[in-house]
Each structure stands twice: as structure tokens, then as C-alpha cells.
Amino acid sequence: MENKQITVTSPLLPDLDEFNALLKEIWDSKWITNNGSFHKQLEKELAEYLKVPFVSLFTNGTLPLLTALQALRVTGEVITTPYSFVATTHCIWWNGCKPVFVDIDPATGNMDPEKIEAAITPKTTAIMPVHVYGKPCDMKRIQEIADKYGLKVIYDAAHAFGVEVDGESVLNAGDMSTLSFHATKVYNTLEGGALVMHDEATKKRIDYLKNFGFAGETEVVAPGINSKVDEVRAAYGLLNLRQVDAAIEVRHQVAIRYREALRQVEGVTFMDDMPGVKHNYSYFPIFIDPDRYGMTRDELYFNMKAQNVFGRRYFYPLISEFSTYRGLPSAAPENLPNAHKMADSVICLPMHHELSEGDLERILRTIIR
Ligand SMILES: *Cc1c(COP(=O)(O)O)cnc(C)c1O
């Protein structure tokens, strides 16, 4: 057992017997999709859990990004961060807009608000920041800039499930926020996602858009898409919602253990909790300074792998380095020094609700020399 694989994440799974009982209900009702009762219940329970007014479920975390830009009629240029998962930028591109990358704040990994104004042109219509690793962006500053220039703000909050600042959900910031419920995330519905909005009219419009634009049997009000969640996934999501707090608490304890053990390690740094923030411990990134640590990030990463400890280099390479985006003027490395530095030094350590004390010892032994 000593050498069993330790994976970077492990999906939160509902109890099979409980899931079976709900499946039986779905089978009996024969209502398997199209805004069924589990779907409605999950939207309601998620809104309560997340402390937000309205939630619209989606089949993954990418389609709500795509749909939010459509709903807000974003055109031209969208300011975003290269330090994220590719889906963030892809959605800007799929809407026929031009992504404009700005650099990050090295303290958080999030878009540096002080870099935004210099990137605004007459074509800019929106800002798409990401709460990277679930660390809240400087939402107040971003909103000030957006208001000054009349820009929309769409947060990719794929990492920020349940994250709050001074008791307020980060999902209430900006015009809309998106979530991913992919298997690798803190909370999953197998595949899935959601869009969070502030008013009922927007919720209605989004619900049309995710159902081909249908507003009634014969009326199509917009070129919509299909992102309807079925009853099986909604039932699964309801069960997972009941155990997600316990899973986050285990993650919290893992973070405490990592920090205790790594604080004294020369050349290894990590992020501490932010004051006033309810974190979700979705990721535990460490950053390697090769001169002080005596080994490069990649050497450590592959060393860990050789010992069957699987971290992930989130987010390396930067989105701006992929061939599709490399040619954009804002993708030039000189424009993004902090993002490059972080991408070149990061390893996300295994972080999930099933890590044992023995696992943690094995992981830490691959790092502490
Ligand atoms: C996971 C993720 C997405 C995409 O979510 P899917 O559910 O995989 O489509 C988008 N943005 C970020 C930052 C993510 O981590």
C-alpha cells in the first residue's frame, strides 16, 4: 500500500444507497430532464447554500461563461487573465470577442486591478476576472473601474464555491458569476456548472438561453443553446450538497497540516488564508524558488510523480502561451511577468477530502529534504 497513487483530487461521491433511492423516484416519475423537480430543488438549495438570490444550473462550467457573455451582449474586447483554465479565454473567443490579457497580482494569482485601465480601449466592453484557487479578487476595485468605463464584469468563479468575504458570497459581485461542478472541483454534479445572477428577469432570460431560447411552446426569443441539466445529475447534486461542508472541513485540516510542515522549508512558499474570508480550500498551490530550494519546479514535480504523488502544475502553461492566443499583442511575456513567474513556479499539491495522515506524510516527504 505504501506506494499507492496519491492523486491531486478525488471526486466527492454521494452514498450509493441514497442515490439509488432518488434514482428510483426518477424512474417512477419518468420525468428525466427539462426542469424536473430535482432540478428545481437543486437550484433552490444551491441559492440558499451559496447565499445568492438566483442560480441557473448548467451542464458544465464552460457553457455559463459562454452564455453570460451572450446574455450581456458583450462585444469587442474583453479584459481577462492568462492565469486560469483555458475555458475562460475560449468563451471570450467563441463569442467573437478579442481577449486582452492583463498581468496578475503575485500575492493572490488574481488579475491585478491596477493593470486594467491601461488595457482599456474604445472597443472594451467587459472584464472577466477569475477567483483563482478560490481566493477572492479585489472586487471593489474592479467594480470601480468597470463603473468608470461602463464595462460589464463576469466572474469566472469556478474555484470559488461557497467562498465569502465578511459573510457575503463572492458570487454576488459583478454582473454575473459562473461556477463549475466538474468532478475535480470541491462540489460536483459529475459534470455541471451554474450561473449566478442578481435578479429574476436575468434568471428568466438565462433559463431561456440555456433552453434554445424557448420562451413558451412556440416562441424563441434569442439564439439559445442547450445546457439543461437532467434529473439524475440534479439528484446526485442534492446529495453532494449535504456533505460538501464536511469535505471542505477535511480540506481545511489538510491545508493547516501542509502549512505547518512547509513553513520552514527554504525556497517553498504558499498562500495563507485571507482575513475575513471563508475559504473553500479548493487548491493548495506551492511555489518553488529553485535557487533557494536547490531543485527546479519541474524536477520536484517529476520527482513527486516518480514516488506516485501526483500534483498538478495549475496554471502552466499560461493561456496566453497556447498557440491560439500567443499571437495577441497582450499575450507578449513582457506584458505578463508576474503570471509567467507564478506559472513557472507552481505545483498544486494533492487536495481532497480523502487524504489520510499517512498520505500527507508521504506527500510531505517528497518535498521536505
Ligand atoms: C474547471 C474550470 C472551468 C470549466 O469548467 P468545466 O465544468 O470543466 O467546463 C472554467 N474556468 C475555470 C477557472 C475552471 O477551473
Side-chain angles (χ1 to χ4, degrees):
M1 281 312 278
E2 170 64 8
N3 216 20
K4 83 168 166 57
Q5 269 197 21
I6 301 180
T7 52
V8 70
T9 184
S10 179
L12 185 63
L13 293 166
D15 177 82
L16 256 188
D17 290 333
E18 289 181 45
F19 188 43
N20 260 324
L22 297 191
L23 287 180
K24 176 81 169 58
E25 279 186 44
I26 297 168
W27 262 236
D28 288 345
S29 76
K30 298 186 195 292
W31 190 312
I32 59 174
T33 187
N34 282 8
N35 204 22
S37 60
F38 286 131
H39 181 286
K40 287 192 188 115
Q41 194 184 337
L42 182 57
E43 286 194 341
K44 189 169 156 281
E45 287 194 20
L46 275 172
E48 279 162 20
Y49 177 89
L50 297 169
K51 301 188 193 168
V52 300
F54 298 98
V55 169
S56 187
L57 293 178
F58 277 75
T59 50
N60 56 55
T62 301
L63 283 160
L65 285 167
L66 207 64
T67 308
L69 291 169
Q70 279 285 311
L72 295 166
R73 299 190 173 85
V74 170
T75 58
E77 296 177 4
V78 180
I79 293 174
T80 190
T81 170
Y83 197 76
S84 181
F85 183 61
V86 281
T88 314
T89 306
H90 282 347
C91 291
I92 297 170
W93 197 267
W94 270 62
N95 271 281
C97 299
K98 183 175 161 188
V100 176
F101 298 112
V102 299
D103 205 7
I104 59 168
D105 174 348
T108 60
N110 291 332
M111 176 186 287
D112 182 349
E114 300 318 318
K115 305 280 164 61
I116 296 175
E117 283 195 87
I120 295 174
T121 76
K123 290 187 182 146
T124 310
T125 63
I127 308 172
M128 188 177 268
V130 182
H131 302 291
V132 179
Y133 308 132
K135 292 265 185 285
C137 289
D138 186 344
M139 296 166 281
K140 193 160 162 268
R141 186 75 191 102
I142 291 172
Q143 196 59 51
E144 277 168 13
I145 298 165
D147 289 343
K148 180 171 168 192
Y149 292 90
L151 308 177
K152 304 287 187 200
V153 183
I154 301 105
Y155 282 98
D156 180 341
H159 300 178
F161 184 88
V163 174
E164 295 173 12
V165 181
D166 298 327
E168 162 108 29
S169 171
V170 299
L171 303 170
N172 286 326
D175 291 276
M176 289 191 223
S177 295
T178 69
L179 290 164
S180 165
F181 303 152
H182 184 254
T184 54
K185 306 296 209 272
V186 170
Y187 167 82
N188 81 86
T189 60
L190 301 164
E191 293 268 355
L195 197 46
V196 173
M197 62 289 282
H198 315 316
D199 61 89
E200 196 155 14
T202 308
K203 156 85 172 146
K204 206 165 175 186
R205 182 165 162 73
I206 294 299
D207 286 347
Y208 294 156
L209 282 174
K210 77 173 190 195
N211 183 24
F212 308 100
F214 274 110
E217 223 175 278
T218 53
E219 203 186 346
V220 169
V221 292
I225 201 154
N226 179 4
S227 195
K228 288 178 284 117
V229 172
D230 60 76
E231 287 294 274
V232 174
R233 281 202 251 171
Y236 176 107
L238 280 167
L239 294 175
N240 260 356
L241 196 53
R242 284 169 206 156
Q243 51 169 358
V244 69
D245 279 337
I248 290 173
E249 186 44 35
V250 176
R251 288 167 172 270
H252 184 188
Q253 295 307 319
V254 171
I256 289 172
R257 180 83 175 83
Y258 277 150
R259 284 176 184 146
E260 268 170 13
L262 295 174
R263 202 168 296 278
Q264 306 310 327
V265 181
E266 179 82 5
V268 175
T269 51
F270 51 82
M271 293 168 174
D272 279 305
D273 283 355
M274 291 160 76
V277 174
K278 182 179 169 204
H279 290 281
N280 65 2
Y281 306 96
S282 47
Y283 298 86
F284 196 90
I286 62 168
F287 306 97
I288 306 302
D289 174 351
D291 295 332
R292 289 170 57 225
Y293 184 66
M295 197 187 269
T296 66
R297 184 275 306 271
D298 283 350
E299 280 167 344
L300 173 60
Y301 175 73
F302 289 111
N303 252 346
M304 291 170 73
K305 245 186 170 172
Q307 295 167 74
N308 254 344
V309 173
F310 290 78
R312 280 301 288 271
R313 289 170 291 178
Y314 286 140
F315 288 99
Y316 167 85
L318 293 175
I319 303 176
S320 51
E321 289 296 296
F322 292 119
S323 57
T324 331
Y325 302 118
R326 203 183 291 150
L328 293 168
S330 66
E334 313 84 79
N335 187 43
L336 309 167
N338 293 333
H340 274 275
K341 191 156 179 251
M342 197 170 270
D344 289 343
S345 63
V346 69
I347 300 176
C348 284
L349 299 185
M351 176 51 100
H352 57 80
H353 62 290
E354 284 174 331
L355 289 169
S356 67
E357 182 52 36
D359 293 336
L360 294 177
E361 270 167 33
R362 262 185 65 202
I363 295 161
L364 289 165
R365 250 187 280 131
T366 65
I367 303 166
I368 302 170
R369 299 173 304 138

